[in-house]
Amino acid sequence: MSEFDLIRRHFTRPVPAGILGVGDDCALLPAAPGAWAISTDLLLEGRHFYADVDPRALGHKALAVNLSDLAAMGAQPAGCVLGIGLPAVDAAWLDAFAQGLHALAEAWGCPLVGGDTTRSAAGITLSVTVFGRVDARRALRRNAARPGDDVWVSGTLGDADVALRLLQRERGEAVAASGPLAEVLAGLAPEAAARLLASTRERLEWPQPRVALGLALAGVAHAAIDVSDGLLQDLGHIVAASGCGAVVQAARLPLSPALSALPPAAAWQAALGGGDAYELCFTASPAGRARIETLAARTGVALARIGTLEPQARGVRVLDAAGLPLDGVPAGFDHFR
Ligand code: ADP
Ligand code: MG
């Protein structure tokens, strides 16, 4: 298959009227009032996914993590481009990958309008860039949080982290050995570990970007971020940018049934430090509580109020169920640490 056959077959789909998609030197998206919200994410084999991951899930996730950034800004998806480096051409793999990507693109009105395709000696390399639209005055910036705000988070946290640790263990890879979560997972019998992996794995491989929620929050929330590196670290970005601090109640962290069944200290570690959650963390005035609860019902995404912002810029502090500082709280993910 030639490069151009590959592009035609796997990456060319009809696009909405008014858009020029794959096939010319550039894609054309109509200019509209407001701002472009643009975000890009790189996914590397071995670092962000395993070579044997379900290719349909990989296509989904490559776009999902970018749509999550649009959601966190309160932006409406408009289109995306894909850079892909492949060691070899495997038509069945590409078919499944493209289906996963196109299905999510269609679901959120974010057509693939261009990209670049190349051979890569270094394993599968993916780069997706999304374009969205937002009224810049309503965009959910990280620096717009205010002391006294409530801190909210969507969905549940920690499942993807647990799934990743269990996959690493299954593959015999070195896993982080300290902390209550590592201890609990190390102590699980193989059948219990397999059950826990089965009930958490979907959150790792098929993240659902909170696009509708992000759009509904524009103009309601003050600041927002998507939880990609761990709640503590990501909420830490909000308070650092906004010049305030946060107090989070561990007992209010939203947990799936699978994580609720773990000892609290282990579940909290996953919820506070675990990456790849792709939930939205946002802050809003307490006066907006009723409105936010209505919008949770309307968008079908559960929202938990997990803490408050304080004027002192002391970072993020976490209190346990008794109101005492939770120590040994994990820091979250950093590629260069
Ligand atoms: P150019 O050399 O002008 O950059 P290419 O030959 O690389 O163009 O690509 C031809 C067309 O196919 C362009 O419209 C480009 O955007 C599109 N394209 C290439 N690779 C991909 C891909 N992986 N996904 C979507 N579109 C792609
Ligand atoms: Mg090119």
Side-chain angles (χ1 to χ4, degrees):
M1 187 168 18
S2 80
E3 176 188 335
F4 304 103
D5 292 337
L6 185 160
I7 294 166
R8 231 183 338 268
R9 169 157 170 197
H10 298 289
F11 298 129
T12 309
R13 293 286 189 283
V15 293
I19 292 181
L20 179 65
V22 171
D24 214 310
D25 294 307
C26 289
L28 298 176
L29 298 181
W36 283 110
I38 300 170
S39 181
T40 196
D41 265 294
L42 199 55
L43 283 90
L44 307 180
E45 179 183 326
R47 174 150 294 276
H48 301 97
F49 60 91
Y50 294 117
D52 61 358
V53 68
D54 172 2
R56 187 187 299 260
L58 184 61
H60 170 96
K61 186 165 177 176
L63 179 55
V65 300
N66 282 278
L67 287 173
S68 180
D69 284 318
L70 290 184
M73 213 69 190
Q76 174 79 54
C80 63
V81 295
L82 165 70
I84 184 166
L86 295 165
V89 174
D90 174 341
W93 190 95
L94 275 165
D95 252 335
F97 173 85
Q99 275 176 34
L101 190 150
H102 289 303
L104 188 65
E106 207 160 281
W108 290 115
C110 191
L112 180 66
V113 296
D116 201 23
T117 305
T118 171
R119 192 179 288 275
S120 143
I124 300 166
T125 304
L126 300 167
S127 168
V128 174
T129 301
V130 281
F131 303 86
R133 308 277 338 170
V134 67
D135 175 343
R137 289 161 307 184
R138 286 161 52 98
L140 301 170
R141 303 273 309 270
R142 294 179 183 184
N143 63 4
R146 300 174 202 165
D149 276 1
D150 292 324
V151 179
W152 297 80
V153 70
S154 65
T156 60
L157 296 173
D159 301 74
D161 184 33
V162 167
L164 179 61
R165 287 166 184 257
L166 291 169
L167 277 178
Q168 287 170 336
R169 164 176 144 157
E170 213 173 58
R171 305 172 77 97
E173 288 174 12
V175 291
S178 69
L181 179 59
E183 276 162 37
V184 165
L185 297 184
L188 288 180
E191 313 78 65
R195 272 197 307 277
L196 185 55
L197 177 57
S199 51
T200 52
R201 188 171 188 158
E202 184 164 329
R203 288 297 309 273
L204 178 67
E205 295 184 345
W206 293 90
Q208 298 302 321
R210 302 303 193 185
V211 178
L213 175 63
L215 288 169
L217 287 173
V220 178
H222 291 155
I225 193 166
D226 66 321
V227 180
S228 54
D229 297 327
L231 177 72
L232 278 187
Q233 182 161 312
D234 291 321
L235 178 56
H237 292 317
I238 288 184
V239 298
S242 300
C244 57
V247 181
V248 168
Q249 313 287 336
R252 286 176 165 264
L253 292 167
L255 302 174
S256 67
L259 262 72
S260 300
L262 299 179
W268 292 344
Q269 189 188 343
L272 291 165
D276 265 358
Y278 301 106
E279 295 294 353
L280 296 186
C281 174
F282 61 93
T283 81
S285 161
R289 280 180 196 173
R291 195 167 167 199
I292 287 167
E293 268 146 23
T294 310
L295 139 188
R298 181 157 58 78
T299 55
V301 180
L303 296 177
R305 188 157 51 77
I306 60 168
T308 53
L309 297 188
E310 53 181 17
Q312 299 85 350
R314 287 189 290 197
V316 181
R317 297 185 298 134
V318 185
L319 304 181
D320 68 14
L324 300 171
L326 192 71
D327 35 60
V329 171
F333 191 74
D334 178 336
H335 275 286
F336 291 103
R337 194 154 50 205

